[in-house]
């Protein structure tokens, strides 16, 4: 059996969590392969919105096992809080018993969010607009080979080594002038979360996932963030610090590229971005405010207003290419309804010349999007049960998108709830 992968195709928040929650009944395992608590995957469970940051989006389906893979950076305090919140919401979900944690995943030490904040706020460093979760310091220390990993918590020397690293970094932060809690308090909170971590299944997830695939089990790799935020292939330096693209699922979970099946790519019917960086189709002013409010475009994780704009075909083509997307999922078409026309960016004009591809190195000032006007659509998306009920003009928009990026749209999300989605018979 092969592993399917789901990734975001834009700058995050495409509705990945909602889609996974919808399809995970078809999977035995859902596995996060990158990022950390910078993700915010919203799912409606019993009419309540829950935002998952570290936990995989299979947690609400009782028969699905959830894996936090090696490519993830784990903040134990955040994980403990998230699990406790879910237990309070519905203890019968037994989330903590259906979770497998990679022994090789790296820890987000308690000093990292302070370094993240320092770099973000200091005028000598570039402001990226991070989530301030300490993601970049965690991956940086991993690459420097200075970091501690989840599986090390059992070693007798772990508390001593942890204390030494944290104390050293604490002094560094003090010298940088950061406001900090007492070192004893920082350590006590972290060590209590480490004790909680020890109550979970910390295993060699590579072995487990590969064995599951061998036994014919169905595995879905859940991407966090999205293609345009990939550390290598995104709009560097305004990116996150992990490989968010489909290839990241192989390295993040230790599954061979030979064993990959479908690659689902999720896109909104328009575009959003949180944080700094290029966004060619960005809207500003009243039009942006209206779309932001109608779409509820405020960060699931940080509550920041999201930047909003029209669908960007060259950027999507790039994302489809670097991921090898085999099926597209389009969300939030309902938010664009009741417009006379919907612009869609088909190419750019760069220094007076037409350009059909997205160049991640291009400067914002150089790029002018060229729009094609698509007919707008009306209708109550909550009533849609199948393709025949989708407004014709919206279907035309979807067909146009398919033609442009040369991949079939196989699912349309029609609202935020689990059942608000239809499958399009295209294959
Ligand atoms: P993720 O990070 O990709 O999982 O996406 P987020 O959860 O951060 O943001 C997507 C937002 O859109 C969430 O508030 C979802 O509940 C909501 N959502 C997802 N699909 C749809 C849809 O088709 N229509 C509407 N109106 N909302 C949606
Ligand atoms: P999900 O999984 C949207 C953005 C931040 C910032 C940049 C770097 O919910 O789609 P980081 O904290 O990772 O160092 O921030 O990446 N970012 C996201 N934007 N959705 C996310 O996750 C994001 N995770 C990080 O806003 O611009
Ligand atoms: Mg999100």
């Amino acid at each position: 059996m092969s592993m399917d992968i789901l990734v975001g195709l834009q700058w995050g928040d495409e509705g990945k969590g909602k889609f996974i929650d919808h399809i995970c009944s078809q999977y035995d395992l859902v596995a996060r392969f990158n990022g950390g608590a910078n993700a915010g995957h919203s799912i409606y469970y019993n009419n309540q919105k829950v935002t998952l940051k570290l936990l995989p989006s299979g947690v609400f389906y009782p028969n699905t096992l959830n894996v936090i893979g090696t490519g993830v950076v784990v903040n134990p305090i955040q994980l403990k809080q998230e699990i406790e919140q879910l237990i309070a919401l519905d203890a019968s979900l037994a989330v903590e018993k259906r979770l497998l944690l990679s022994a090789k995943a790296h820890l987000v030490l308690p000093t990292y969010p302070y370094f993240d904040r320092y770099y973000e706020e200091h005028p000598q460093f570039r402001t990226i607009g991070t989530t301030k979760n300490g993601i970049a310091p965690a991956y940086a220390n991993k690459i420097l080979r200075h970091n501690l990993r989840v599986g090390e918590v059992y070693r007798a020397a772990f508390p001593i080594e942890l204390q030494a690293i944290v104390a050293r970094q604490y002094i560094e932060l003090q010298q940088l002038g950061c406001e900090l809690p007492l070192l004893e308090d920082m350590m006590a909170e972290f060590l209590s979360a480490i004790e909680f971590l020890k109550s979970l299944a910390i295993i060699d997830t590579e072995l487990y996932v590969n064995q599951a695939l061998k036994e014919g089990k169905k595995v879905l790799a859940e991407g966090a963030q999205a293609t345009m935020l990939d550390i290598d292939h995104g709009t560097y330096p305004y990116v996150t610090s992990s490989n968010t693209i489909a290839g990241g699922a192989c390295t993040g979970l230790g599954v061979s590229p030979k064993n990959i099946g479908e690659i689902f790519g999720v896109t909104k019917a328009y575009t959003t971005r949180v944080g700094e960086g290029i966004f060619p189709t960005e809207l500003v002013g009243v039009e942006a405010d209206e779309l932001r409010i109608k779409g509820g475009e405020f960060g699931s994780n940080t509550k920041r207003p999201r930047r909003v704009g029209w669908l960007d075909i060259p950027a999507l083509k790039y994302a489809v290419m670097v991921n090898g997307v085999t099926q597209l999922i389009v969300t939030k078409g309902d938010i664009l309804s009741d417009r006379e026309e919907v612009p869609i960016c088909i190419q750019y004009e760069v220094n007076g010349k037409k350009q059909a591809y997205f160049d991640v190195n291009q400067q914002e000032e150089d790029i002018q999007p060229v729009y094609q006007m698509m007919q707008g659509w009306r209708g109550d998306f909550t009533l849609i049960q199948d393709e025949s009920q989708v407004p014709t003009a919206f279907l035309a928009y979807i067909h146009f998108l398919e033609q442009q990026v040369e991949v079939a749209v196989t699912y349309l999300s029609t609202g935020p709830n689990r059942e608000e989605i239809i499958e399009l018979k295209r294959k």
Side-chain angles (χ1 to χ4, degrees), residues 56-86:
S57 299
V59 287
F60 293 109
Y61 193 79
N63 298 331
T64 305
L65 269 178
N66 296 279
V67 173
I68 295 183
T70 296
V72 176
V73 287
V74 179
N75 179 335
I77 300 170
Q78 177 64 42
L79 186 62
K80 177 171 180 263
Q81 270 172 15
E82 221 173 298
I83 292 175
E84 284 171 353
Q85 273 164 12
L86 285 198

Side-chain angles (χ1 to χ4, degrees), residues 268-305:
K268 278 178 187 164
Y270 50 98
T271 310
T272 62
R273 175 165 203 175
V274 208
E276 305 303 314
I278 190 170
F279 185 170
T281 61
E282 183 169 16
L283 285 167
V284 288
V286 179
E287 220 180 351
D289 294 342
E290 280 171 8
L291 183 55
R292 182 177 304 112
I293 288 166
K294 190 167 178 196
E297 297 298 354
F298 297 89
S300 310
N301 192 317
T302 57
K303 313 286 178 247
R304 289 177 291 175

